């Protein structure tokens, strides 16, 4: 099965895609372009916001006009209607080579994210994984150091967290208690389980994990036991992140990147889609709608 190009966005590093079910739109970032993108599949309406620094990941909140943004240097709320920002936290200011990377809201309305070491090779795992709690406190998670945090997502019941350090090529998981306690860290998918490196992931309603495979032009569906269930291909070598969207949450979308490619193929850096016979889950909102 092949994913089809639906928007030739030409992003340098498209990432962090999510589906806003209230507005029926996709949101994602071009990290290296410091841009926030919005696209409405039904109408094709596209909008971009040029931001003050690189945007690495984001989350919906209980207020439609407010997003939680993970900038390279830290976390802020962003009011789309007014264009104003509210700074929450600087993250790892003592580590000059790290920036934020992948992040996702857990089933309790807390934002979990990891860091990226921008130093040239070797990229040492000096960054960490963190959680922004609903009271806006920032908490380090005991998951060890990381060089390129990716693949953060949660099982449908919220009791398993998935994550990766892309350079190791393994997707890991851990038990994730309702109070946020993590335990029993283990390998979910082995480094040789699929081509490419693991990038962004999402979980469908059946509990299967969909992972963008950087460098392989693939999106792989992993069963809950870690075996490969199916593979989608796309005409872009560097898919970066995936999200389910559409009115029935049965369309899988993927962002992609051109960074580092001397001669990108047509459509590279674009937005891709494929309607499937399975559906996703609504994107969790930071703080939950009743108290955000």
């Amino acid at each position: 099965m092949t994913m089809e190009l639906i928007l030739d966005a030409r992003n340098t590093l498209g990432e962090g895609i999510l589906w806003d079910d209230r507005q029926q739109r996709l949101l994602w970032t071009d990290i290296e372009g410091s841009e926030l993108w919005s696209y409405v599949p039904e109408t094709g309406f596209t909008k971009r916001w040029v931001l003050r620094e690189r945007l690495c990941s984001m989350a919906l909140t209980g207020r439609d006009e407010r997003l939680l943004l993970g900038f390279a240097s830290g976390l802020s709320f962003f009011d789309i209607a007014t264009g104003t920002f509210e700074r929450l936290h600087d993250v790892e200011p003592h580590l000059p080579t790290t920036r934020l990377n992948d992040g996702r809201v857990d089933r309790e309305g807390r934002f979990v994210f990891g860091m990226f070491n921008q130093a040239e090779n070797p990229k040492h795992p000096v960054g960490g994984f963190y959680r922004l709690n609903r009271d806006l406190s920032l908490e380090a998670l005991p998951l060890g150091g990381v060089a390129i945090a990716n693949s953060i997502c949660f099982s449908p019941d919220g009791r398993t967290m998935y994550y990766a350090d892309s350079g190791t090529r393994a997707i890991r998981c851990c038990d994730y208690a309702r109070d946020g306690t993590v335990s029993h860290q283990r390998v979910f998918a082995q480094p040789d389980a699929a081509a490419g490196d693991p990038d962004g992931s999402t979980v469908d309603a059946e509990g299967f994990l969909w992972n963008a495979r950087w460098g392989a032009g693939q999106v792989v569906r992993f069963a809950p036991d870690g075996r490969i269930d199916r593979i989608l291909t796309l005409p872009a070598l560097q898919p970066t992140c995936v999200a389910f969207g559409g009115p029935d949450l049965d369309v899988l979308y993927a962002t992609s990147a051109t960074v580092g490619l001397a001669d990108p193929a047509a459509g590279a850096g674009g937005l891709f889609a494929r309607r499937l016979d399975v559906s996703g889950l609504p994107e969790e909102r930071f703080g939950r709608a009743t108290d955000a």
Side-chain angles (χ1 to χ4, degrees):
M1 297 178 69
T2 302
M3 301 188 75
E4 298 180 354
L5 180 70
I6 61 169
L7 180 67
D8 190 12
R10 303 183 185 182
N11 294 154
T12 302
L13 185 51
E15 264 285 10
I17 190 168
L18 53 81
W19 176 254
D20 181 346
D21 57 332
R22 296 181 187 172
Q23 301 295 319
Q24 293 289 292
R25 65 182 174 184
L26 291 159
L27 296 166
W28 73 94
T29 173
D30 182 352
I31 295 178
E32 294 304 321
S34 300
E35 293 177 338
L36 168 65
W37 283 66
S38 169
Y39 175 73
V40 180
E42 184 178 0
T43 64
F45 178 74
T46 306
K47 187 173 182 178
R48 290 184 292 171
W49 293 263
V50 178
L51 302 173
R52 58 189 183 184
E53 68 169 306
R54 289 173 295 168
L55 173 62
C56 305
S57 53
M58 72 190 83
L60 305 172
T61 74
R63 289 169 46 191
D64 290 350
E65 70 276 13
R66 184 170 71 167
L67 299 175
L68 173 62
L69 301 186
F71 286 110
S73 64
L75 299 167
S76 297
F77 283 129
F78 174 54
D79 189 300
I80 291 177
T82 64
T84 57
F85 298 89
E86 178 188 348
R87 189 66 165 185
L88 300 176
H89 293 281
D90 294 339
V91 182
E92 294 188 346
H94 61 293
L95 296 175
T97 67
T98 64
R99 65 160 171 81
L100 269 74
N101 206 47
D102 190 45
R104 189 170 296 272
V105 177
D106 68 16
R107 304 299 178 200
E108 305 301 320
R110 301 163 297 201
F111 185 61
V112 177
F113 64 94
M115 305 300 287
F116 180 102
N117 185 1
Q118 303 170 90
E120 296 299 323
N121 291 332
K123 287 185 179 296
H124 297 298
V126 297
F129 289 92
Y130 298 88
R131 179 170 55 224
L132 180 68
N133 294 311
R134 290 165 58 176
D135 64 0
L136 303 186
S137 63
L138 187 64
E139 178 182 3
L141 298 181
L143 295 175
V146 63
I148 308 173
N150 266 311
S151 202
I152 297 172
C153 56
F154 298 87
S155 59
D157 65 2
R159 302 287 73 84
T160 301
M161 173 182 165
Y162 300 93
Y163 61 100
D165 187 339
S166 291
T168 70
R169 303 199 65 239
I171 300 176
R172 300 183 62 81
C173 65
C174 64
D175 294 345
Y176 191 86
R178 191 173 300 277
D179 66 2
T181 302
V182 300
S183 61
H184 191 205
Q185 300 173 45
R186 57 201 183 272
V187 173
F188 168 69
Q190 296 288 347
D192 58 354
D197 296 333
D199 209 313
S201 294
T202 192
V203 170
D204 65 29
E206 297 176 1
F208 286 60
L209 182 144
W210 296 78
N211 177 239
R213 305 299 296 190
W214 176 276
Q218 296 179 352
V219 174
V220 177
R221 188 192 196 212
F222 291 94
D225 61 5
R227 63 180 172 82
I228 294 177
D229 173 76
R230 71 179 80 171
I231 297 175
L232 305 181
T233 60
L234 61 162
L237 186 64
Q238 297 176 160
T240 55
C241 197
V242 288
F244 280 93
D248 298 318
L249 296 177
D250 62 348
V251 179
L252 187 71
Y253 295 95
T255 47
S256 63
T258 61
V259 63
L261 297 177
D263 186 21
L271 176 67
F272 295 83
R274 177 77 191 199
R275 189 175 301 277
L276 298 170
D277 58 352
V278 297
S279 60
L281 296 164
E283 195 74 33
E284 299 289 351
R285 293 174 178 266
F286 176 76
R288 296 292 183 87
T290 57
D291 52 19

